[in-house]
Amino acid sequence: MLEVLWAAGSFVVAVGILVAFHEWGHFWTARKLGVQVLRYSIGFGRPLWRRQGADGTEYVVAAIPLGGYVKMLDEREAEVDPAMRHRAFNVQPPWKRILIVLAGPAANFLFAIVAYWAIFVAGTPGLKPVLGEPPVGSLAHRVGLLADDEILRVGDSPIATWDVLRPELLDLALAGEPVVLALRRGADRVQVTMDFAGISADPQQLYAEVGMYPPQPHYRPILGEIVAGEAAASAGLQAGDRILSAAGERMDSWMQWRDWLRERPLETVELRVLRADKELTVSLQIGERFEDGLRVGRLGASVAAQPELWQDLQLTYRLTPWAAVPAALVRTWDMSRLTLQMLGRMVIGEVSVRNVSGPLHIAQYAGSTAAAGIIAFLSFLAIISVSLGVLNLLPVPVLDGGHLLYYLVEVVKGSPVSEQVQVVGQQIGIAALVLLMGVAFYNDILRLVS
């Protein structure tokens, strides 16, 4: 329960921050260009807090924390005092309306740039880009990459950590072209050419096809988080318990224990467990779940974190304040480009729509990154901020990009788009957003069920 509340609270904080920045972009630009702002609201629905500014703007925090809006003086929405007509949004020249619309997504990109700059300056922990054993048949195996190879460069891009390498692999899959990898193999420097033609850009398949993973340390079979209501909890197992044996078979590693467990769905077995230096005997009825139509055993417990196993691979990636500026700009640009490319591939069916995350999954991610510390949470905010900026620029009516499209058409034809066209466009836009949210919620439910 506490985990759910933490995730929900982290989600509300994240949405509040990002919506505040997005709407601040519209708000600040509108005021600078002489447009009267009537309301600046974070959230929808019933106001929980409100304040009237000296400039006549009403500042509101509302009950539903899933968005926000800036309401401007507009003749299309209400009668306007003739003395104030010059400050109405709808009478402004197209270039002013375009700037006001663009300012929201621009604020999201600005937030991401500042966030990445702070992350680079503060330093972010990561893993050296050292490879584990490439799976047989994978691209990495075919080109001769070996366990313990350390990736130094991909093309012209230096690789400092796995967090840098992963999106680089996605970018290469989207391009589908050969690239030269520079790597360290023992005391030698080696170059390997990898051809990404035919490699899926779908993240659900990409990494398996490429076969580049961090090395997997020898985790001991020690339990971490116990899921309430599942097999481990029902048997009385606790976080920190070490599995010594199962049905008389000695368990030396988590992978051995996991594979043994998967083969025995719904069986009742006897475990020998070490708990606080005392050996216990526990009767466990193994649970079950289905993977690709196959029934496998399920415990309902994760492996305990064993950070000492990663010590030799850990590093902190840090830049000077000056060097962090171009790095932040490049990272924001790369994330924006990748987001747009992935959306395009989804439209043409090359990337599964199962990669779309809804509020439930985003809330889980918000909670886990917030628990991991300010740097992890800031990185999460930067990624979501970039996504909001890109999505809002799509030429879909009801989004900023849809309004931008109308104003650009107005510039070309010399007159505003008709109200009838705008109404039809709004209906199409709402239908598209409802469909997208339906897919996102469906994906969230599938993740929870699985």
Side-chain angles (χ1 to χ4, degrees):
M1 184 62 181
L2 288 176
E3 184 180 353
V4 172
L5 292 176
W6 176 263
S10 301
F11 176 72
V12 170
V13 170
V15 171
I17 291 172
L18 297 179
V19 167
F21 264 86
H22 180 92
E23 300 303 335
W24 170 82
H26 295 309
F27 168 76
W28 184 86
T29 306
R31 288 178 23 133
K32 287 295 181 181
L33 294 178
V35 176
Q36 176 66 47
V37 177
L38 302 179
R39 176 179 289 182
Y40 174 40
S41 178
I42 306 302
F44 299 108
R46 184 173 62 86
L48 301 177
W49 174 89
R50 69 172 75 199
R51 183 178 68 84
Q52 191 78 23
D55 57 356
T57 301
E58 183 183 30
Y59 299 89
V60 173
V61 176
I64 305 174
L66 294 177
Y69 61 93
V70 169
K71 182 178 181 180
M72 290 171 276
L73 192 67
D74 195 311
E75 292 178 320
R76 296 168 299 181
E77 297 183 5
E79 187 176 347
V80 174
D81 186 338
M84 293 291 292
R85 186 175 184 273
H86 67 288
R87 300 195 63 186
F89 176 78
N90 66 292
V91 303
Q92 305 303 316
W95 69 267
K96 283 190 177 184
R97 282 176 276 145
I98 288 172
L99 288 178
I100 292 170
V101 167
L102 281 175
N108 285 128
F109 294 126
L110 178 61
F111 177 90
I113 292 169
V114 173
Y116 281 129
W117 179 88
I119 290 168
F120 289 140
V121 171
T124 177
L127 292 178
K128 295 178 183 177
V130 175
L131 301 183
E133 186 71 37
V136 175
S138 65
L139 176 59
H141 179 263
R142 295 198 302 270
V143 301
L145 293 181
L146 304 175
D148 297 327
D149 283 350
E150 181 178 356
I151 308 300
L152 303 176
R153 301 184 72 87
V154 173
D156 295 328
S157 303
I159 305 298
T161 66
W162 269 99
D163 288 339
V164 177
L165 179 58
R166 288 189 184 96
E168 195 71 32
L169 294 176
L170 179 56
D171 198 18
L172 292 170
L174 289 167
E177 298 175 353
V179 67
V180 176
L181 274 64
L183 52 96
R184 181 184 291 115
R185 179 174 292 167
D188 300 325
R189 299 290 183 99
V190 179
Q191 288 191 338
V192 173
T193 299
M194 297 184 74
D195 189 351
F196 281 77
I199 296 295
S200 173
D202 192 326
Q204 296 186 8
Q205 304 175 39
L206 164 65
Y207 299 110
E209 292 184 16
V210 175
M212 295 172 68
Y213 299 100
Q216 295 300 310
H218 189 75
Y219 275 99
R220 298 181 296 279
I222 302 174
L223 303 184
E225 181 184 357
I226 306 294
V227 180
E230 297 210 26
S234 299
L237 293 171
Q238 300 177 10
D241 285 352
R242 176 169 180 166
I243 309 299
L244 299 176
S245 67
E249 183 176 342
R250 179 175 169 175
M251 294 293 153
D252 294 316
S253 72
W254 181 265
M255 186 172 294
Q256 178 196 3
W257 161 241
R258 183 198 63 187
D259 293 343
W260 188 92
L261 191 79
R262 286 170 58 87
E263 295 175 358
R264 294 165 173 80
L266 300 182
E267 290 187 17
T268 299
V269 297
E270 188 175 274
L271 305 181
R272 292 293 293 169
V273 174
L274 182 64
R275 178 182 300 167
D277 297 326
K278 292 183 179 180
E279 289 193 19
L280 305 174
T281 300
V282 175
S283 178
L284 169 71
Q285 181 176 8
I286 301 170
E288 68 171 347
R289 66 175 177 179
F290 289 87
E291 290 184 1
D292 299 324
L294 297 177
R295 191 177 67 165
V296 298
R298 177 179 176 85
L299 180 65
S302 63
V303 61
Q306 299 166 43
E308 67 278 4
L309 300 177
W310 297 93
Q311 285 179 355
D312 293 340
L313 294 175
Q314 290 178 332
L315 55 79
T316 298
Y317 181 62
R318 181 179 287 112
L319 296 174
T320 65
W322 287 112
V325 173
L329 289 168
V330 169
R331 177 64 64 86
T332 303
W333 168 256
D334 286 344
M335 293 302 298
S336 303
R337 180 171 49 81
L338 282 174
T339 301
L340 192 58
Q341 287 178 313
M342 290 296 289
L343 286 171
R345 295 298 178 95
M346 284 184 194
V347 170
I348 62 177
E350 291 185 7
V351 171
S352 172
V353 294
R354 290 194 176 184
N355 291 288
V356 177
S357 293
L360 300 180
H361 188 240
I362 293 173
Q364 288 180 327
Y365 195 22
S368 62
T369 55
I374 183 63
I375 296 298
F377 189 58
L378 198 57
S379 180
F380 161 76
L381 289 177
I383 293 171
I384 301 299
S385 192
V386 167
S387 299
L388 286 176
V390 171
L391 289 172
N392 269 284
L393 285 176
L394 295 178
V396 177
V398 311
L399 295 179
D400 291 332
H403 295 297
L404 180 62
L405 178 62
Y406 290 152
Y407 302 148
L408 291 175
V409 170
E410 180 179 344
V411 170
V412 172
K413 67 190 288 280
S415 61
V417 175
S418 70
E419 288 190 14
Q420 183 178 1
V421 170
Q422 292 188 43
V423 168
V424 172
Q426 187 176 38
Q427 293 172 342
I428 294 173
I430 291 173
L433 290 181
V434 169
L435 177 62
L436 179 63
M437 287 304 298
V439 170
F441 272 111
Y442 177 74
N443 289 343
D444 280 355
I445 293 170
L446 279 184
R447 290 186 184 101
L448 289 175
V449 170
S450 62

